[in-house]
Amino acid sequence: GQSLEQPSEVTAVEGAIVQINCTYQTSGFYGLSWYQQHDGGAPTFLSYNGLDGLEETGRFSSFLSRSDSYGYLLLQELQMKDSASYFCAVSLNTNAGKSTFGDGTTLTVKP
Amino acid sequence: DVKVTQSSRYLVKRTGEKVFLECVQDMDHENMFWYRQDPGLGLRLIYFSYDVKMKEKGDIPEGYSVSREKKERFSLILESASTNQTSMYLCASLGGPLAGAKSTDTQYFGPGTRLTVL
């Protein structure tokens, strides 16, 4: 089976840095993606790691260690609008692009 | 911009009714997916399709079927709706990277259909 573990809730203050971890146990691995979902909205793509290391996209960075089956999303200079749910997703190594999603982490940013 | 549209934002049906949820994407993507999302359970894959008329079961296919007659359209069918199928249904298509992105595995989601079965 496939399983992804991420914290259910994280709270931080504006301007701070927060890290959301994701550990996975899957049969087959192609890459790790992160999605953001605001309340009532659809998930939107944030970041992807296919290789070990850090990927930076503006205030957001994502890290992957395949040997540890672990990744994280780092959000810097937090803003109120960053309050949302964040999902990690493992792309399985099939040509159908199937992914397995974690249960999501609800981030609350306080003033 | 990739656009994935779903036929309804909100839908209310009665137990036993046949329900069709439609999804259309305009980017010529080959792979499309149907998920359901329930509080605390993340996104669970119901069915996916990697080509016209091709479909595969996801993790929770029971009670659902799908149809992919045209590349741009992927339909989810509830043959006989039940109350435990009350949920948010999300369609996604998989394609190449957005300008500046590095992923070939970006899923683009539709706005979702919140289905209530009474």
Side-chain angles (χ1 to χ4, degrees):
Chain A
Q2 329 285 1
S3 75
L4 284 82
E5 296 285 332
Q6 52 181 129
S8 57
E9 292 180 355
V10 172
T11 301
V13 296
E14 253 185 317
I17 299 172
V18 74
Q19 179 173 313
I20 300 174
N21 298 322
C22 175
T23 57
Y24 58 88
Q25 216 170 357
T26 58
S27 53
F29 177 87
Y30 189 76
L32 183 71
S33 299
W34 289 91
Y35 290 81
Q36 179 191 60
Q37 185 180 30
H38 284 100
D39 213 23
T44 55
F45 171 79
L46 283 179
S47 189
Y48 173 81
N49 294 75
L51 300 173
D52 288 355
L54 192 68
E55 291 286 342
E56 296 179 80
T57 311
R59 294 188 297 116
F60 295 175
S61 306
S62 59
F63 172 82
L64 174 66
S65 169
R66 287 176 298 171
S67 59
D68 295 323
S69 297
Y70 164 75
Y72 66 72
L73 178 70
L74 191 74
L75 297 87
Q76 302 182 76
E77 300 170 23
L78 279 175
Q79 301 175 9
M80 298 296 289
K81 67 179 182 179
D82 297 330
S83 291
S85 291
Y86 293 84
F87 295 88
C88 59
V90 166
S91 304
L92 305 176
N93 53 356
T94 70
N95 59 8
K98 182 181 174 183
S99 290
T100 295
F101 283 77
D103 289 346
T105 298
T106 300
L107 170 64
T108 303
V109 180
K110 296 190 170 179
Chain B
D1 255 6
V2 175
K3 197 154 201 164
V4 180
T5 57
Q6 294 183 227
S7 47
S8 308
R9 281 291 268 145
Y10 299 94
L11 209 52
V12 180
K13 295 291 182 182
R14 297 212 171 271
T15 302
E17 281 192 79
K18 191 167 186 175
V19 182
F20 292 87
L21 303 182
E22 302 279 328
C23 176
V24 177
Q25 49 96 1
D26 66 356
M27 281 301 290
D28 204 35
H29 289 168
E30 293 185 348
N31 300 345
M32 297 185 72
F33 307 83
W34 274 106
Y35 297 90
R36 65 176 282 176
Q37 185 174 28
D38 301 288
L41 293 178
L43 282 78
R44 293 182 290 167
L45 182 64
I46 304 170
Y47 264 97
F48 61 104
S49 168
Y50 51 90
D51 203 349
V52 175
K53 296 193 186 296
M54 306 304 288
K55 59 189 178 187
E56 282 201 28
K57 294 179 181 179
D59 301 318
I60 51 163
E62 296 77 20
Y64 303 94
S65 62
V66 289
S67 171
R68 184 105 182 263
E69 295 298 316
K70 293 185 178 181
K71 194 174 187 180
E72 68 270 19
R73 188 180 297 269
F74 190 34
S75 303
L76 180 70
I77 303 152
L78 288 67
E79 296 289 343
S80 177
S82 63
T83 54
N84 62 12
Q85 292 178 309
T86 291
S87 186
M88 170 68 87
Y89 289 88
L90 289 160
C91 172
S93 74
L94 178 73
L98 290 167
K102 296 180 184 180
S103 166
T104 58
D105 276 359
T106 303
Q107 292 200 28
Y108 300 91
F109 285 85
T113 296
R114 187 165 292 283
L115 173 67
T116 302
V117 182
L118 302 174

Coordinates of all heavy atoms in Angstrom, one line a residue, chain B residues 69-110:
Chain B
E69 N -14.8 9.2 -23.5 CA -15.1 9.1 -24.9 C -14.3 10.1 -25.8 O -14.0 9.8 -27.0 CB -16.6 9.3 -25.2 CG -17.5 8.2 -24.6 CD -17.2 6.8 -25.1 OE1 -17.0 6.6 -26.3 OE2 -17.1 5.9 -24.3
K70 N -14.0 11.2 -25.2 CA -13.2 12.2 -25.9 C -12.0 12.6 -25.0 O -12.2 12.6 -23.8 CB -14.0 13.4 -26.3 CG -15.1 13.2 -27.3 CD -15.8 14.5 -27.7 CE -16.8 14.2 -28.8 NZ -17.5 15.4 -29.2
K71 N -10.9 13.0 -25.6 CA -9.7 13.3 -24.8 C -10.0 14.4 -23.8 O -9.4 14.3 -22.7 CB -8.6 13.7 -25.8 CG -7.2 13.7 -25.2 CD -6.2 14.0 -26.2 CE -4.8 13.8 -25.7 NZ -3.8 14.1 -26.7
E72 N -10.8 15.3 -24.1 CA -10.9 16.5 -23.2 C -11.9 16.3 -22.1 O -12.0 17.1 -21.2 CB -11.3 17.7 -24.0 CG -12.7 17.7 -24.7 CD -12.7 17.1 -26.0 OE1 -11.7 16.4 -26.4 OE2 -13.7 17.4 -26.8
R73 N -12.7 15.2 -22.2 CA -13.8 15.0 -21.2 C -13.7 13.7 -20.5 O -13.5 12.7 -21.1 CB -15.1 15.1 -22.0 CG -16.3 15.1 -21.2 CD -17.6 15.1 -22.1 NE -17.6 16.4 -22.9 CZ -18.2 17.5 -22.6 NH1 -18.8 17.6 -21.4 NH2 -18.2 18.5 -23.4
F74 N -13.8 13.8 -19.2 CA -13.8 12.6 -18.3 C -14.9 12.7 -17.3 O -15.1 13.7 -16.6 CB -12.4 12.6 -17.5 CG -12.1 11.4 -16.8 CD1 -12.5 10.1 -17.3 CD2 -11.4 11.4 -15.6 CE1 -12.1 9.0 -16.6 CE2 -11.0 10.2 -15.0 CZ -11.4 9.0 -15.5
S75 N -15.8 11.7 -17.4 CA -17.0 11.7 -16.6 C -17.0 10.7 -15.5 O -16.5 9.6 -15.7 CB -18.3 11.4 -17.5 OG -18.3 12.4 -18.6
L76 N -17.5 11.1 -14.4 CA -17.6 10.2 -13.2 C -19.1 9.9 -13.0 O -20.0 10.8 -13.1 CB -17.1 10.9 -11.9 CG -17.2 10.1 -10.7 CD1 -16.2 8.9 -10.7 CD2 -16.9 10.9 -9.5
I77 N -19.4 8.7 -12.9 CA -20.8 8.2 -12.8 C -21.1 7.5 -11.5 O -20.3 6.6 -11.1 CB -21.2 7.3 -14.0 CG1 -20.9 8.0 -15.3 CG2 -22.7 6.9 -13.9 CD1 -20.6 7.1 -16.4
L78 N -22.1 8.0 -10.7 CA -22.5 7.2 -9.6 C -23.8 6.5 -10.0 O -24.8 7.1 -10.3 CB -22.9 8.2 -8.4 CG -21.7 8.9 -7.7 CD1 -20.9 9.8 -8.6 CD2 -22.2 9.5 -6.4
E79 N -23.7 5.2 -10.1 CA -24.8 4.4 -10.7 C -26.1 4.5 -9.8 O -27.2 4.6 -10.3 CB -24.4 3.0 -10.9 CG -23.3 2.7 -11.9 CD -23.7 3.0 -13.3 OE1 -24.9 3.0 -13.6 OE2 -22.8 3.1 -14.2
S80 N -25.9 4.5 -8.5 CA -27.0 4.6 -7.6 C -26.5 5.3 -6.4 O -25.9 4.7 -5.5 CB -27.5 3.2 -7.3 OG -28.6 3.2 -6.3
A81 N -26.7 6.6 -6.3 CA -26.1 7.4 -5.3 C -26.5 6.9 -3.9 O -27.7 6.6 -3.7 CB -26.5 8.9 -5.5
S82 N -25.6 7.0 -3.0 CA -25.8 6.7 -1.6 C -25.3 7.8 -0.7 O -24.5 8.6 -1.1 CB -25.2 5.3 -1.2 OG -23.8 5.5 -1.3
T83 N -25.8 7.9 0.5 CA -25.5 9.0 1.4 C -24.0 9.0 1.7 O -23.4 10.1 1.9 CB -26.3 8.9 2.7 OG1 -26.1 7.7 3.3 CG2 -27.8 9.1 2.5
N84 N -23.3 7.9 1.7 CA -21.9 7.9 2.0 C -21.1 8.4 0.8 O -19.8 8.4 0.9 CB -21.4 6.6 2.5 CG -21.6 5.5 1.5 OD1 -21.8 5.7 0.3 ND2 -21.4 4.2 1.9
Q85 N -21.7 8.8 -0.3 CA -21.0 9.4 -1.4 C -21.1 10.9 -1.4 O -20.7 11.6 -2.3 CB -21.5 8.8 -2.7 CG -21.2 7.4 -2.9 CD -21.7 6.8 -4.2 OE1 -22.9 6.9 -4.5 NE2 -20.8 6.1 -5.0
T86 N -21.8 11.4 -0.3 CA -21.7 12.9 -0.1 C -20.3 13.3 0.1 O -19.6 12.8 1.0 CB -22.6 13.2 1.1 OG1 -24.0 13.0 0.8 CG2 -22.4 14.7 1.5
S87 N -19.8 14.2 -0.7 CA -18.4 14.5 -0.7 C -18.1 15.7 -1.6 O -19.0 16.1 -2.4 CB -17.6 13.3 -1.0 OG -16.2 13.6 -0.8
M88 N -16.9 16.2 -1.6 CA -16.4 17.1 -2.6 C -15.6 16.2 -3.6 O -14.8 15.4 -3.3 CB -15.4 18.1 -2.0 CG -14.6 18.9 -3.0 SD -15.7 20.0 -3.9 CE -15.7 21.4 -2.8
Y89 N -16.0 16.4 -4.9 CA -15.4 15.6 -6.0 C -14.5 16.6 -6.8 O -15.0 17.6 -7.3 CB -16.4 15.0 -6.9 CG -17.1 13.8 -6.1 CD1 -18.2 14.1 -5.3 CD2 -16.6 12.6 -6.2 CE1 -18.8 13.0 -4.6 CE2 -17.2 11.5 -5.5 CZ -18.3 11.8 -4.7 OH -18.9 10.7 -4.0
L90 N -13.3 16.2 -7.0 CA -12.3 17.0 -7.7 C -11.8 16.2 -8.9 O -11.4 15.1 -8.8 CB -11.1 17.3 -6.8 CG -11.4 18.3 -5.7 CD1 -10.3 18.3 -4.6 CD2 -11.4 19.8 -6.3
C91 N -11.8 16.9 -10.0 CA -11.2 16.4 -11.3 C -9.9 17.0 -11.5 O -9.6 18.2 -11.1 CB -12.2 16.7 -12.4 SG -11.5 16.3 -14.0
A92 N -8.9 16.3 -12.1 CA -7.6 16.9 -12.4 C -7.1 16.3 -13.7 O -7.5 15.2 -14.1 CB -6.6 16.6 -11.3
S93 N -6.3 17.1 -14.4 CA -5.6 16.6 -15.6 C -4.1 16.8 -15.4 O -3.7 17.7 -14.6 CB -6.1 17.2 -16.8 OG -5.7 18.6 -17.0
L94 N -3.4 16.0 -16.0 CA -1.9 15.9 -15.8 C -1.2 16.3 -17.1 O -1.5 15.8 -18.1 CB -1.5 14.5 -15.4 CG 0.0 14.3 -15.2 CD1 0.5 15.0 -13.9 CD2 0.3 12.8 -15.2
G95 N -0.3 17.3 -16.9 CA 0.3 17.8 -18.2 C 1.7 18.3 -17.9 O 2.2 18.1 -16.8
G96 N 2.3 18.9 -18.9 CA 3.6 19.4 -18.8 C 3.7 20.6 -17.9 O 2.7 21.1 -17.4
P97 N 4.9 21.1 -17.7 CA 5.1 22.1 -16.7 C 4.6 23.5 -17.2 O 4.6 23.8 -18.3 CB 6.6 22.1 -16.6 CG 7.2 21.6 -17.9 CD 6.2 20.6 -18.3
L98 N 4.2 24.2 -16.2 CA 3.9 25.7 -16.4 C 5.2 26.3 -16.7 O 6.3 25.9 -16.3 CB 3.3 26.3 -15.2 CG 1.9 25.9 -14.8 CD1 1.5 26.3 -13.4 CD2 0.9 26.4 -15.8
A99 N 5.2 27.4 -17.4 CA 6.4 28.2 -17.7 C 7.1 28.5 -16.3 O 6.5 29.0 -15.4 CB 6.1 29.5 -18.4
G100 N 8.3 28.1 -16.2 CA 9.1 28.4 -15.0 C 9.0 27.2 -14.0 O 9.8 27.1 -13.1
A101 N 8.1 26.3 -14.1 CA 8.0 25.2 -13.2 C 8.9 24.1 -13.8 O 9.3 24.1 -14.9 CB 6.6 24.7 -13.1
K102 N 9.2 23.1 -12.9 CA 10.2 22.1 -13.3 C 9.5 20.7 -13.4 O 10.2 19.7 -13.6 CB 11.3 22.1 -12.4 CG 12.2 23.4 -12.4 CD 13.3 23.3 -11.5 CE 14.0 24.7 -11.5 NZ 15.2 24.6 -10.5
S103 N 8.2 20.7 -13.1 CA 7.6 19.4 -13.0 C 6.9 19.0 -14.3 O 6.3 19.8 -14.9 CB 6.6 19.4 -11.9 OG 5.7 18.3 -11.9
T104 N 7.0 17.7 -14.6 CA 6.2 17.2 -15.6 C 5.0 16.4 -15.0 O 4.2 15.8 -15.7 CB 7.0 16.2 -16.5 OG1 7.5 15.1 -15.7 CG2 8.1 16.9 -17.2
D105 N 4.9 16.5 -13.7 CA 3.9 15.8 -13.0 C 2.9 16.8 -12.3 O 2.4 16.5 -11.3 CB 4.5 14.9 -11.9 CG 4.8 13.6 -12.6 OD1 4.6 13.4 -13.8 OD2 5.4 12.7 -11.9
T106 N 2.7 17.9 -12.9 CA 1.8 18.9 -12.3 C 0.4 18.5 -12.6 O 0.0 18.3 -13.8 CB 2.0 20.3 -12.8 OG1 3.4 20.6 -12.6 CG2 1.1 21.3 -12.2
Q107 N -0.4 18.3 -11.6 CA -1.9 18.1 -11.8 C -2.6 19.4 -11.7 O -2.4 20.2 -10.7 CB -2.4 17.1 -10.7 CG -1.8 15.7 -10.9 CD -2.6 14.6 -10.3 OE1 -3.8 14.7 -10.1 NE2 -2.0 13.5 -9.9
Y108 N -3.5 19.6 -12.6 CA -4.3 20.8 -12.6 C -5.7 20.4 -12.2 O -6.3 19.6 -12.9 CB -4.3 21.5 -14.0 CG -2.9 21.8 -14.5 CD1 -2.1 21.0 -15.2 CD2 -2.4 23.1 -14.2 CE1 -0.8 21.3 -15.6 CE2 -1.1 23.4 -14.6 CZ -0.3 22.5 -15.3 OH 0.9 22.9 -15.7
F109 N -6.2 21.1 -11.2 CA -7.5 20.7 -10.6 C -8.6 21.6 -11.1 O -8.4 22.8 -11.3 CB -7.4 20.7 -9.1 CG -6.7 19.6 -8.5 CD1 -5.3 19.6 -8.4 CD2 -7.3 18.4 -8.1 CE1 -4.6 18.5 -7.8 CE2 -6.6 17.4 -7.6 CZ -5.3 17.4 -7.4
G110 N -9.8 21.0 -11.2 CA -11.0 21.8 -11.4 C -11.4 22.4 -10.1 O -10.9 22.1 -9.1

